[in-house]
Amino acid sequence: MTAQDSTENGFPPAIQISGNGLHLREWADDDLPVLVELFDEPQIHRWTPLSSPFDLAVAQAYLSKAREDRTAGRGIQLAITSDGRNAQGEILLFRPDADDHEVELAYGIGARHRRQRLAARAVELMTAYAYDVLAMRRVVLRIDPENLASVAVARATGFRLTGDHPVIKERDGRRVSLLTWCHHREPDQIPSS
């Protein structure tokens, strides 16, 4: 894995993470049509809080909000690519609350790019980044238990279901109960200080 190391508002000023056959990179304005292609589809709408329809205007607002969150140190959103150019999905890392030592990951893969382990490989990269570069102690996923694909990603990447109370969200007039999955690094994987 490679990444930039200096931090600004808790995050490096430029982030590029490579490994596992992937290159995670910042979104660019040229990516707006690709964002629409990736996120304007039923499964993304079902499992994420993204708007539907997800058109160019929504994509522009989404990218602007991502940049605001990045500047404020609340989170980062990176395009998932295999070649460093063509986005196939997105992975997000954000701070869910005031805890400076916990981050939450979320992800979405475009319909025509699924079944290539893109989400699992991106989660592995971002989890390592959270520990190694951001010095986080806890990395979590919050998943609707009916989202079997995301549950499989959590299991495949070493996350374990916790006993935390479900996180309740409202989406399109329906109540969604998200369960917390936590990643624990083995003691031999923790760098000594």
Side-chain angles (χ1 to χ4, degrees):
M1 176 180 78
T2 61
Q4 311 288 329
D5 287 337
S6 59
T7 61
E8 173 184 294
N9 290 329
F11 299 119
I15 300 174
Q16 295 181 22
I17 305 169
S18 296
N20 291 350
L22 296 181
H23 182 78
L24 310 180
R25 65 163 176 82
E26 304 280 350
W27 288 107
D29 290 334
D30 293 348
D31 290 316
L32 288 172
V34 176
L35 279 166
V36 172
E37 177 190 331
L38 294 172
F39 296 155
D40 190 34
E41 67 99 8
Q43 290 301 309
I44 294 289
H45 178 64
R46 179 176 181 191
W47 302 120
T48 73
L50 296 179
S51 299
S52 180
F54 195 94
D55 58 20
L56 277 173
V58 173
Q60 178 62 59
Y62 180 77
L63 188 56
S64 293
K65 174 84 167 70
R67 289 173 175 162
E68 287 173 20
D69 287 347
R70 169 65 182 281
T71 300
R74 289 187 295 264
I76 53 176
Q77 295 174 229
L78 301 176
I80 299 170
T81 77
S82 296
D83 60 7
R85 294 182 308 279
N86 300 306
Q88 298 163 294
E90 174 181 60
I91 188 155
L92 299 83
L93 178 149
F94 56 96
R95 294 184 173 107
D97 52 39
D99 187 345
D100 287 338
H101 299 289
E102 176 179 296
V103 290
E104 182 175 340
L105 304 182
Y107 44 82
I109 304 296
R112 67 185 180 105
H113 304 291
R114 293 181 186 142
R115 303 199 187 288
Q116 300 174 42
R117 292 198 70 248
L118 293 172
R121 291 186 284 153
V123 166
E124 288 170 347
L125 284 175
M126 196 63 96
T127 299
Y129 180 82
Y131 288 132
D132 299 339
V133 177
L134 302 179
M136 292 294 133
R137 293 188 192 132
R138 181 170 144 110
V139 180
V140 300
L141 302 170
R142 291 202 169 87
I143 301 173
D144 183 327
E146 294 181 16
N147 186 344
L148 300 181
S150 279
V151 168
V153 167
R155 286 188 174 124
T157 55
F159 284 76
R160 301 288 176 255
L161 190 59
T162 71
D164 295 1
H165 290 289
V167 175
I168 307 301
K169 301 279 185 175
E170 290 289 327
R171 289 190 190 148
D172 291 335
R174 63 186 172 91
R175 191 171 180 218
V176 178
S177 180
L178 304 176
L179 301 182
T180 300
W181 293 72
C182 185
H183 187 274
H184 297 283
R185 251 195 179 171
E186 297 301 322
D188 63 342
Q189 294 175 312
I190 299 172
S192 57
S193 2

